[in-house]
Amino acid sequence: MVLPLRLSFLFLVPLAGAFLFPDNPTIGRAMKSDEILAQRYDIHPQQHQEEQIVESSDAHVECTTPTRLRGRCISIYECDSILDYFKQRILTWEEREFLRKSQCTGATSGRQPFVCCPGNGSKPVVAPATTVPAGTASTTPAGPAATAPSGDAALADQLVGGLLPNPKKNECGVSIGMRIYGGQNADIDEFPWLALLQYENRKGERKYSCGGSLINPRYVLTAAHCVIGEVERKEGKLVSVRLGEYNTKTEIDCVTEEQEEICADPPIDAGIESVIVHPGYQDMAHADDIALLRLAQSIEYTSFVQPVCLPLTDFRASKTGEVNFVTGFGRTLQDSRSEIKQKLGIKVYDHARCQQKYATKNSSITTNQLCAGGEYAKDSCHGDSGGPLMKLQKVWYLEGIVSYGNRCGLEDWPGVYTHVPAYMAWTVAAIVRSSSNQSILILPGVTIVMAKVVDCVLLLLLLAFIAVVRAQEACRTPDHRDGVCHPVQQCPSVRDEFFNSDRVLSEDEIDYLRKLQCKTKDVTICCPDGVTTVDRNPTAVRDGLPNPKAFECGLDTLADRIIGGNYTAIDEFPWYALLEYQSKKGERAFKCGGSLINGRYVLTAAHCLANKKLDEGERLVNVRLGEYNTATDTDCADGNPDDCADPPQNFGIEAQIVHPGYDKNGPYQHHDIALIRLDRDVTMNNFVSPVCLPPDEFPPTSPGLNVTAVGFGHTGRQRHSGIKKKAQFPVFAQEECDKKWKNIEVIGEQLCAGGVFGIDSCSGDSGGPLMVKRFYWIQEGVISFGNQCALEGWPGVYTRVSSYLGWIRQNIRR
């Protein structure tokens, strides 16, 4: 049923934009009801598709009304036919839409509400209502059914074929009238996309603690720290999302306008079907602090529940000094938490200065983050975490997500926000991919993502109107990552790596770019940015060595610590092997490392297989692959149960092959290299895959350039690290190495690296890989020995793998 709307309430309802009302001649005296009403109308001075400006005069601009009558673009106060027609009567949604389409830009309108007023004084003719099928989410509150996006295919791609609302058609970001520390109350229907996240602790007590933004009928965008990590310990389990809330202390929210009580619809509480956290999220570093919530039900839009717009490719990011808005129920000056929705305008803060400020707190600000605020007592605080930072660009766009800050409302300390434009590819791909309860219907030229349980009538309407045109084309990169076909300029990782630098690309890189091209009508590449790769399906090579050019090895995702290094990502360096020994007393311990080089062999140091302790009865009993944290049975990234590694794989030893030139009793550790043949084939997955060995034409890393070591050895604080770590340090010039190790002969089959205080690989990492990134990871060395650990000016010594390729090939078999 089409609900009526009182005119006095019309201008509380989101229409065309969100502005304070302009200057008008009634200010300074008592206003009539129609003037108050017009003041609340907030007609946005934009040109609609229905408006046709034909000529300009000194006084007024001529225009065409929604019913194709010639008219004048004048103030709504001067158009008696429109005011008389709509005043003191009940308005349908169609009449309200007519008013919206009547907006125009006058010659002297500025920010005044101007409408196209019929020149002959004729009354408005409003089109009859269009029935909206049950369950269909309208693009304007209770309005007519949405029609299909048309024309620009690129726009359709950005909107995921209709899954996201279209800002160009005012399908989102429409609001009149944010917590907000130092803020003020919002209007009852202002910012209708704000979501409240509810948590339940172990006692069964529930509370709201974070915010979010509704972006379509099924998804809420929020901060990753609002769904995993510390919030789970402090607040409990995330159980539901509330939409349309204005006053948390009242069941029905009402305000009084001109002695008339106006009440909102009851809030909508929705369960959570699934949580999608950005794979790069790091709790301590606040990196990639963004997450999606898929609601358990589709939300029906109302005057108080509407989506915000997401930034498209033509979105203009805010510059320093521009004012954006935040909204929420967080801390205010008067109370620890506001009962009423608040709002606050804050200025965008200079990015370079923000980086400098937070560097003093050992926090890194990236280009994927935005800083805003920094005025005393004006800020978004803890209660607004995950909430929106919004920019008005004809409609409201979600430019940022409240992430963190240095306390709250401190002078010259801006808050830090996740910059949403940097995560549009991930957001779009996650929405398309997240549908465990969705199926994908593919027709010629049309891809429709729909719920499994879809009303037949709705499906027919979707097909008839082609309401959803086509989703972005999914693809697979040559290095086995999932992606989406995009123009190069819309793929920052590829654009910045290969096109925004003056370096000469290698043949491998040029070949990679060729293979990266999508088979689409337009020139696009397969872009992995923001797309979660569930399974890379690495190739298991058991006969010979894997081919780097076919990306059969050296693959890892993201993210560095051994001494002075950093934690690795959970699936980083998936070739790393732990060698486990059993003493004569039966005690087991991991004491060496190694590298998986194909589906059956591990490369390690000879001294890990031939040494005095082994002669005295200690035995190598197990090789473990896919380990990340030796203290946990199941390894999960930052404790997130939805981002866990496959179980580690343990292997017996079928054969140990020590280089014949190695002398375990000699002083030099020459030819310190060995192979282990496992007792069965390895199961390849995202957490277990081989490293590349140097190709025959491999040029060694030049002195001064960094190489990377990985392992579970000394960390400087404890004997062994329970978590896999990595460190970067430079290669040492051979002549300098010879001077340092003047009592030990360092031969051409060895290389030196390190010598930086506090950064080195240590004894616990013996046998592990020394690697260099040459488009894919190549193992350049095997950790052999050093002078104590991480001493300034004392490099470690590594076996040079490229010198032993012939020996390796001779000793591996199927």
Side-chain angles (χ1 to χ4, degrees), residues 10 12 142 217 222 254 262 287 366 376 445 491 705 717 754:
L10 168 64
L12 280 174
T222 186
C254 300
I262 300 168
T366 72
Y376 175 70
C491 186
L705 298 181
R717 296 185 179 180

Side-chain angles (χ1 to χ4, degrees), residues 570-647:
I570 194 168
D571 59 350
E572 196 170 11
F573 309 118
W575 43 84
Y576 190 81
L578 277 171
L579 276 55
E580 188 175 25
Y581 298 81
Q582 182 174 296
S583 69
K584 290 190 295 184
K585 297 180 180 180
E587 298 170 341
R588 289 194 170 205
F590 296 109
K591 293 187 176 182
C592 270
S595 308
L596 184 70
I597 60 170
N598 77 356
R600 198 66 181 263
Y601 284 85
V602 168
L603 187 67
T604 188
H607 76 261
C608 290
L609 304 185
N611 58 56
K612 184 177 180 181
K613 286 189 177 181
L614 290 170
D615 292 341
E616 294 173 349
E618 188 174 71
R619 296 186 301 122
L620 174 63
V621 294
N622 181 52
V623 174
R624 178 173 290 182
L625 294 166
E627 182 64 275
Y628 175 69
N629 187 342
T630 58
T632 58
D633 292 330
T634 301
D635 298 338
C636 299
D638 297 319
N640 178 11
D642 295 324
D643 187 12
C644 297
D646 294 340

Side-chain angles (χ1 to χ4, degrees), residues 427-507:
T427 303
V428 166
I431 290 175
V432 173
R433 292 180 163 278
S434 68
S435 49
S436 59
N437 288 335
Q438 291 177 337
S439 60
I440 298 179
L441 173 64
I442 302 178
L443 300 175
V446 179
T447 302
I448 298 177
V449 183
M450 57 185 179
K452 284 183 178 177
V453 183
V454 177
D455 185 270
C456 293
V457 176
L458 175 58
L459 176 56
L460 291 173
L461 284 170
L462 285 171
L463 295 175
F465 291 106
I466 320 178
V468 182
V469 181
R470 58 188 180 116
Q472 291 173 308
E473 185 171 339
C475 56
R476 190 88 163 166
T477 67
D479 54 337
H480 315 301
R481 298 172 186 259
D482 290 324
V484 176
C485 291
H486 276 313
V488 170
Q489 288 305 314
Q490 294 179 22
C491 186
S493 65
V494 175
R495 178 193 66 208
D496 296 344
E497 176 70 17
F498 300 108
F499 296 96
N500 284 1
S501 66
D502 296 329
R503 66 185 181 86
V504 178
L505 299 183
S506 67
E507 290 185 8

Side-chain angles (χ1 to χ4, degrees), residues 357-377:
K357 294 284 288 186
Y358 278 92
T360 65
K361 301 293 182 181
N362 296 318
S363 184
S364 177
I365 304 298
T366 72
T367 55
N368 291 344
Q369 292 167 310
L370 177 72
C371 300
E375 294 182 57
Y376 175 70

Side-chain angles (χ1 to χ4, degrees), residues 67 274 762:
T67 52
S274 60
C762 297

Side-chain angles (χ1 to χ4, degrees), residues 117 157 195 216 222 225 229 276 278 328 336 362 379 474 539 592 620-621 673 703 723 733 770:
C117 188
D157 280 346
N216 82 354
T222 186
H225 78 262
I276 310 161
H278 192 283
S336 60
N362 296 318
D379 198 2
T539 305
C592 270
L620 174 63
V621 294
I673 191 169
I723 298 177
L770 183 74

